[in-house]
Amino acid sequence: TINVTIPAGLNCGTYTSYYFRFRLTPASVASPSPLGLLTGGEVEDYLFDIGHPTAVDLLSFTAVAQDGGVLVGWESVSEFDNMGYNLYRAEAADGEKTMLNTEMIPTGVDLGSPTGAVYSFTDMDVVPGLTYYYWLEDIDATGTANLTGPVEVLVP
């Protein structure tokens, strides 16, 4: 068994798999070099999957009351392999969440894109005088969901 510590910060950008090269030598080789020719021993390459970057990197997620409704908006910095979004609302921070969209809100960028986009959704099914809580769920190409929120808004 060879234990390997993945260097901090290696899982950055769009790459999630890395090849690591190991040089195995007999104990008689006092201090083998990682480079160059060496007799005896073996060199092996292994592919390690060190994780998947977060599908969405959000810059903002807000909810603002306006003219009998609530405007929910969000902006992403990047959306790596994001398929789309679902928006949820509840009347308490720990209340039962109701999905507001009938179909997944599609991503505004191409799959694998390192760029982001701006989105909005108007919730008109609100009652004046109540406070609402909103969550944003992003779903990546593997079906993994990530929930952000809640954001809170009082409808005047």
Side-chain angles (χ1 to χ4, degrees), residues 56 74 76 79 82 84-86 101 104-105 119 136-138:
V56 175
W74 62 99
S76 62
E79 296 187 30
N82 182 37
Y85 298 94
N86 291 315
N101 49 299
M104 186 166 47
I105 301 165
Y119 303 88
L136 181 67
E137 177 182 59
D138 60 82

Side-chain angles (χ1 to χ4, degrees), residues 84-118:
Y85 298 94
N86 291 315
L87 192 59
Y88 296 89
R89 179 189 68 206
E91 293 182 14
D94 59 352
E96 184 177 338
K97 298 173 189 69
T98 302
M99 188 163 65
L100 298 178
N101 49 299
T102 55
E103 295 181 7
M104 186 166 47
I105 301 165
T107 181
V109 300
D110 294 329
L111 277 179
S113 174
T115 61
V118 176

Side-chain angles (χ1 to χ4, degrees), residues 58 60-66 69-75 85-89 100-101 105 118-124 126 132-137 148-153 155:
L58 284 179
S60 66
F61 175 46
T62 60
V64 179
Q66 63 175 32
V70 174
L71 177 63
V72 181
W74 62 99
E75 182 175 357
Y85 298 94
N86 291 315
L87 192 59
Y88 296 89
R89 179 189 68 206
L100 298 178
N101 49 299
I105 301 165
V118 176
Y119 303 88
S120 66
F121 183 97
T122 302
D123 181 9
M124 297 302 290
V126 295
Y132 293 96
Y133 299 83
Y134 293 89
W135 290 263
L136 181 67
E137 177 182 59
T148 300
V151 292
E152 176 183 347
V153 62
V155 178

Side-chain angles (χ1 to χ4, degrees), residues 1-16:
T1 301
I2 299 174
N3 294 318
V4 178
T5 301
I6 304 298
L10 185 62
N11 189 12
C12 57
T14 59
Y15 300 103
T16 62

Side-chain angles (χ1 to χ4, degrees), residues 1-47:
T1 301
I2 299 174
N3 294 318
V4 178
T5 301
I6 304 298
L10 185 62
N11 189 12
C12 57
T14 59
Y15 300 103
T16 62
S17 296
Y18 293 86
Y19 280 99
F20 289 87
R21 176 164 286 175
F22 296 90
R23 178 171 248 174
L24 308 172
T25 60
S28 60
V29 177
S31 55
S33 169
L35 305 172
L37 180 63
L38 183 68
T39 56
E42 186 175 332
V43 172
E44 298 182 7
D45 292 329
Y46 292 92
L47 178 65

